[in-house]
Amino acid sequence: IATTAIAQAGTNDTDIITAKKLRDVAGNAIKPRSWSDVTASRIANTWYSNTTGNDIGVFISRGGANISASITVRKTGTSTELFLSGTAVGNNLVVSSTGFWEVPDGFDYKISPFNVVMELRV
């Protein structure tokens, strides 16, 4: 069974590690995430800050004719923005545009008009 020192070194491939030592070494690095529907609390083209201490995933969906879905991400407190988009355009047909983006801790995001916004958080 691996000692704490062996577990911290992470180079031994023959000793086994206990659950406690794994938690001690990994700390909070291994965190389960779950989905939250945040649609009701989001307004299009409004900045939202990720101050969770962890990266979050943002999923947006929009349905309709000739539509697109987008997200803009920036480092909090800066003006440099990264525009990311997912587009599905129909010829007056009902189509769906969806996208999933990771928003790092300490970054802001804003989204285009949407039908659904979900966040994947710790």
Side-chain angles (χ1 to χ4, degrees):
I1 296 179
T3 64
T4 299
I6 290 172
Q8 288 173 335
T11 57
N12 183 314
D13 197 27
T14 57
D15 291 350
I16 58 173
I17 189 168
T18 64
K20 180 182 182 316
K21 294 242 179 13
L22 177 61
R23 187 191 68 220
D24 291 347
V25 172
N28 289 326
I30 303 171
K31 301 175 185 176
R33 298 198 297 176
S34 60
W35 287 103
S36 296
D37 185 343
V38 296
T39 305
S41 65
R42 295 295 180 258
I43 299 170
N45 298 310
T46 300
W47 287 106
Y48 295 96
S49 297
N50 177 9
T51 58
T52 64
N54 299 288
D55 294 352
I56 61 172
V58 177
F59 169 83
I60 60 174
S61 176
R62 185 164 184 228
N66 300 319
I67 53 91
S68 66
S70 68
I71 185 170
T72 305
V73 179
R74 70 176 181 196
K75 176 76 174 155
T76 302
T78 67
S79 60
T80 303
E81 300 175 2
L82 173 61
F83 177 78
L84 309 164
S85 67
T87 304
V89 177
N91 201 3
N92 293 321
L93 302 173
V94 175
V95 294
S96 177
S97 180
T98 61
F100 176 83
W101 298 273
E102 287 284 333
V103 178
D105 180 49
F107 280 67
D108 304 324
Y109 76 92
K110 68 179 177 180
I111 47 183
S112 69
F114 54 85
N115 295 110
V116 176
V117 181
M118 303 283 290
E119 287 185 356
L120 183 60
R121 294 176 170 241
V122 171

